């Protein structure tokens, strides 16, 4: 039997990403768990941000940002960037994360992130507590450490990705099967 609860946002787990915004001269980091893919072609994603957040103003001014996937090794930095404001501190300095100049955007990416997704804002929709920012992917920067030299395959599963679930961070890891394994014909 299931209990009936009031409406809430219990779609978990979610990726816990750090969004970098601004320019190399003036940038900020913000942890976002409300993010995801919205379109394949053109490649588009969304982030949801509270308008009162410091990074929101930076994103609206620059109209671009970078989504940086996080790893278990980045757990402390990820949490810090979500609970401290860039109005009060330099999150790059406080977390020890390394800014890298953007390729297709002016905002930096995070060197420690296995994947950095450079984005340009396409639309902003006010939804209530958060605004949903839909963006087109400009570039994807993949850490070469996770590229198999023999096959060229990007092995993201080796990066030790992290997820956010109902107030807690978790390391991902156990392989359960690949897309389509449930209908694959047996040899």
């Amino acid at each position: 039997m299931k209990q009936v609860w009031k409406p809430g946002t219990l779609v978990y787990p979610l990726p816990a990403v750090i969004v970098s915004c601004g320019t190399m001269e003036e940038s900020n980091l913000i942890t976002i768990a409300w993010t995801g893919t919205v379109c394949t072609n053109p490649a588009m994603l969304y982030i949801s941000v509270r308008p009162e957040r410091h990074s929101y103003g930076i994103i609206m001014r620059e109209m671009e940002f970078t989504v940086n996937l996080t790893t278990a090794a980045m757990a402390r930095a990820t949490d810090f960037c979500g609970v401290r404001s860039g109005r009060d501190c330099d999150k790059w300095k406080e977390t020890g994360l390394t800014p890298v100049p953007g390729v297709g955007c002016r905002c930096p990416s995070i060197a420690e992130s296995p994947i950095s997704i450079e984005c340009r804002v396409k639309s902003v929709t006010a939804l209530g507590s958060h605004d949903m920012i839909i963006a087109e992917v400009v570039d994807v920067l993949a850490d070469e450490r996770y590229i198999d030299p023999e096959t060229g395959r990007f092995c993201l599963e080796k990066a030790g990705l992290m997820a956010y679930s109902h107030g807690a961070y978790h390391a991902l890891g156990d392989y359960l099967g690949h897309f389509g394994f449930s209908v694959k014909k047996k040899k």
Side-chain angles (χ1 to χ4, degrees):
M1 178 167 230
K2 292 186 179 182
Q3 291 183 5
V4 177
W5 291 357
K6 68 178 183 172
T9 53
L10 290 171
V11 178
Y12 291 117
L14 297 165
V17 302
I18 299 176
V19 170
S20 48
C21 56
T23 64
M24 285 297 289
E25 296 75 36
E26 180 189 347
S27 63
N28 193 45
L29 303 168
I30 180 174
T31 299
I32 300 285
W34 295 358
T35 183
T37 302
V38 294
C39 189
T40 302
N41 190 14
M44 298 178 82
L45 57 76
Y46 82 94
I47 60 173
S48 289
V49 184
R50 290 181 184 269
E52 62 269 15
R53 297 293 298 262
H54 179 60
S55 292
Y56 181 89
I58 297 169
I59 293 169
M60 292 300 100
R61 182 182 71 232
E62 299 295 328
M63 296 303 283
E64 59 185 25
F65 57 88
T66 299
V67 171
N68 301 276
L69 297 189
T70 59
T71 65
M74 297 170 67
R76 183 193 174 284
T78 303
D79 185 64
F80 186 91
C81 290
V83 297
R84 296 296 300 270
S85 175
R87 288 183 186 99
D88 304 325
C89 67
D90 179 344
K91 293 182 188 181
W92 293 102
K93 181 179 175 187
E94 294 290 331
T95 61
L97 294 174
T98 310
V100 177
V103 175
C105 291
R106 290 175 8 112
C107 59
S109 64
I110 299 173
E112 293 80 4
S113 175
I115 289 280
S116 298
I117 306 165
E118 296 183 328
C119 301
R120 193 156 294 122
V121 175
K122 297 304 272 183
S123 69
V124 180
T125 303
L127 298 173
S129 63
H130 290 68
D131 284 4
M132 181 175 60
I133 302 168
I134 295 179
E136 187 166 359
V137 174
V138 176
D139 284 303
V140 176
L141 312 175
D143 189 326
E144 293 178 350
R145 291 179 294 174
Y146 303 107
I147 298 175
D148 185 310
E150 293 178 18
T151 65
R153 180 180 168 275
F154 188 72
C155 304
L156 191 53
E157 70 279 2
K158 293 183 180 178
L161 292 178
M162 182 174 70
Y164 179 79
S165 184
H166 201 55
Y169 303 101
H170 299 272
L172 300 178
D174 291 341
Y175 176 78
L176 303 175
H178 63 277
F179 179 75
F181 82 98
S182 66
V183 295
K184 186 176 180 181
K185 294 181 181 180
K186 295 181 179 161
K187 294 180 181 178

